[in-house]
Amino acid sequence: MKETVQKYIHTMKDFWQGRTRKQKISFGASIFFVLTVAVLTAYFTSRTSLEPLYSNLSPAETGSIKESLDARGIKSEIADGGNTILVPKEAVDSLKVELAAEGIPKSGSIDYSFFSQNAGLGMTDNEFFVLKLDAMQTELADLMKGIDGVNDAKVMINLPEKGIFVSDNEQPASASIVLSTSPGYQSRKIKLMHSIT
């Protein structure tokens, strides 16, 4: 075995010494090029593409989401000075639904445009209901923010579950609204004149 190794080393040494200086430089450059291409290919194929999961978060919410993602074993990064959290591109949609079902983040919002961008056959009825409810709350809050003197609005809608029998009495839907008004404007009680369905 030792003799065989020495024979290969001797053959390679003879081969190398029999080359001209130009051939040695070309051979070395070729090996360097192949190694560089292999390293770059390995780096870019193993690199995970990250996209924003949520933006404009408070540091407390960023920490809460990061903790939840770490517990699930999902790679994440914090960007924009702690205001944005990035996750792998393929996990963005499913994580939004899962975290929304848990009530995370508290300040995040989903509007109706989410459905046109992320409509798919894989969404369950429960996931769709959670997203639809969040979208309704966001749209109502945005409408109220457009009223003169309203700085901020928060809406919480309570939709009771439908009974399984026709004879079941249907409970009315309700909504809680908190308004932050500008100085000089009176707080007004808002009545929901239209039933929420």
Side-chain angles (χ1 to χ4, degrees):
M1 177 83 177
K2 189 177 178 183
E3 292 175 1
T4 307
V5 171
Q6 285 180 345
K7 184 180 176 185
Y8 280 125
I9 291 172
H10 185 67
T11 305
M12 288 172 64
K13 194 175 179 183
D14 288 345
F15 173 80
W16 185 253
Q17 287 176 348
R19 303 295 108 198
T20 64
R21 186 171 185 272
K22 189 176 180 183
Q23 288 174 329
K24 288 178 182 178
I25 292 171
S26 297
F27 187 70
S30 300
I31 290 174
F32 177 75
F33 177 75
V34 169
L35 288 174
T36 303
V37 168
V39 168
L40 289 174
T41 303
Y43 173 74
F44 284 111
T45 54
S46 65
R47 191 172 146 211
T48 306
S49 175
L50 299 178
E51 284 195 357
L53 177 64
Y54 293 109
S55 300
N56 301 321
L57 296 168
S58 67
E61 286 181 324
T62 303
S64 170
I65 294 170
K66 176 79 172 148
E67 185 179 347
S68 178
L69 294 174
D70 290 346
R72 295 167 193 253
I74 295 169
K75 179 184 175 185
S76 61
E77 288 181 13
I78 297 171
D80 296 335
N83 295 330
T84 302
I85 191 152
L86 306 172
V87 296
K89 182 178 180 180
E90 61 275 3
V92 170
D93 295 337
S94 61
L95 282 173
K96 278 187 180 177
V97 172
E98 290 171 18
L99 293 173
E102 294 176 17
I104 301 173
K106 304 257 185 275
S107 67
S109 58
I110 298 172
D111 57 15
Y112 284 122
S113 66
F114 179 85
F115 294 101
S116 61
Q117 295 165 3
N118 299 288
L121 297 173
M123 190 178 290
T124 66
D125 289 344
N126 190 38
E127 290 171 339
F128 181 79
F129 176 76
V130 169
L131 290 173
K132 179 183 173 189
L133 184 63
D134 196 14
M136 281 195 299
Q137 292 172 164
T138 301
E139 292 293 331
L140 283 172
D142 288 345
L143 283 172
M144 288 179 208
K145 288 177 194 173
I147 298 172
D148 191 29
V150 175
N151 290 335
D152 193 20
K154 302 243 184 246
V155 178
M156 177 70 77
I157 298 173
N158 179 24
L159 294 175
E161 290 185 20
K162 293 183 180 178
I164 56 172
F165 299 107
V166 177
S167 62
D168 287 344
N169 291 336
E170 193 171 320
Q171 298 295 320
S174 62
S176 298
I177 301 165
V178 177
L179 295 178
S180 172
T181 57
S182 300
Y185 285 85
Q186 287 185 337
S187 295
R188 302 180 184 121
K189 286 185 178 178
I190 296 179
K191 278 189 176 179
L192 292 178
M193 304 302 290
H194 188 66
S195 64
I196 302 164
T197 55

